[in-house]
């Protein structure tokens, strides 16, 4: 599969599931523990993930340098070794830098690439943005990431782009009401991955979402598997009960600590990562981690 996945149906099938975003495992001093990061990637695959997704936000590319971003992406692709679809991603970069990494990821064997373009003060022109996506699509199949910082990708961009331009999937991180019209415009052309949570997926599913980015798939995949099984076998109403039991308590804990810091702490509790993130990003304290552990025990995750 790796590096040759250009079949639209195969891409959609690989995204029709809970998908984990791949993150680096940091030591307490902020260094990346590459061996444990490889172990985390193996964990994702061994517990059934069909897709490994590198994304600017959850993958913490914002606090990695360019060399680390390349090394991290390549580690994901090399570790997957064709066992899962791999989606690489660069920084918040201009076209030239994205083309360089896209070429490197094509050579490494990645299946798709996310070009995350800057949009300071909404400076990105829709026509030029469309052209930039086409340039990357000439190199490697592309997944579009809707969130550009302060807005979603302008709708006309989606109207122009097609699979012939090398575009095969969209990851949506822009909430309602943007999602409604997005689904209408893309669902018949591109695979559609909703961002964030199972709750977000249920909002977007009626408008065409195929799968979703899952918090639990990154640490306790049995919970995301339960949601997905319930959703497919019993429907939306029954799957809400899974969200209410397992997801809403975690979302409430986000009121106490940054959501990504909570996810990293959940990985530490699961024994597959560490709670630490590189400064200036926060990490849970010892006391917060124990409070989170107690919550996970109370709701039956551990």
């Amino acid at each position: 599969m790796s590096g040759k996945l250009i079949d639209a149906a195969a891409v959609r099938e690989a995204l029709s599931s809970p998908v984990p975003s791949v993150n680096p495992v940091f030591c307490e001093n902020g260094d990346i523990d590459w061996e444990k990061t490889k172990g985390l990637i193996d964990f994702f695959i061994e517990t059934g993930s069909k897709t490994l997704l590198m994304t600017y936000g959850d993958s913490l590319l914002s606090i990695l340098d360019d060399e680390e971003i390349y090394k991290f992406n390549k580690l994901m692709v090399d570790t997957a070794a064709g066992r899962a679809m791999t989606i690489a991603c660069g920084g918040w970069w201009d076209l030239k830098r994205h083309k360089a990494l896209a070429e490197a990821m094509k050579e490494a064997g990645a299946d798709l690439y996310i070009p995350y373009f800057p949009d300071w003060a909404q400076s990105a022109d829709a026509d030029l943005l469309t052209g930039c996506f086409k340039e990357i699509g000439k190199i490697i199949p592309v997944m579009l990431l809707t969130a550009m910082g302060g807005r979603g990708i302008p709708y006309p961009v989606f109207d122009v782009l097609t699979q012939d331009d090398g575009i095969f999937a969209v990851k949506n991180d822009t909430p309602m009401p943007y999602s409604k019209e997005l689904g209408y415009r893309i669902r018949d052309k591109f695979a559609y991955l909703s961002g964030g949570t199972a709750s977000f997926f249920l909002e977007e599913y009626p408008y065409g979402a195929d799968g979703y980015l899952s918090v639990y798939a990154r640490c306790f995949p049995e919970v995301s598997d339960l949601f997905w099984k319930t959703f497919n076998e019993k429907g939306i109403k029954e799957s809400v009960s899974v969200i209410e039991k397992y997801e809403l308590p975690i979302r409430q804990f986000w009121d106490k600590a940054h959501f990504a810091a909570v996810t990293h702490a959940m990985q530490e509790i699961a024994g597959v990562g560490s709670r630490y993130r590189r400064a200036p990003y926060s990490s849970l304290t010892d006391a917060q981690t124990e409070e989170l552990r107690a919550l996970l025990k109370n709701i039956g995750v551990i």
Side-chain angles (χ1 to χ4, degrees), residues 8 10 37 58 61 65 69 76 84-85 100 109 117 147 153 186 193 217 219 231 240 243 245 250-251 277 286:
T37 301
D58 281 349
L61 303 188
D65 63 34
I69 289 174
M76 176 186 69
M85 183 171 77
F117 291 114
I153 291 175
I186 70 168
L193 185 73
C219 44
F231 170 74
V240 166
I243 290 174
K245 180 176 181 180
I250 296 299
R251 290 172 68 99
R277 300 191 300 162
D286 290 349

Side-chain angles (χ1 to χ4, degrees), residues 154-166:
Y155 291 131
V157 174
F158 297 108
D159 296 338
V160 174
L161 294 172
T162 70
Q163 290 177 20
D164 289 339
D165 299 311

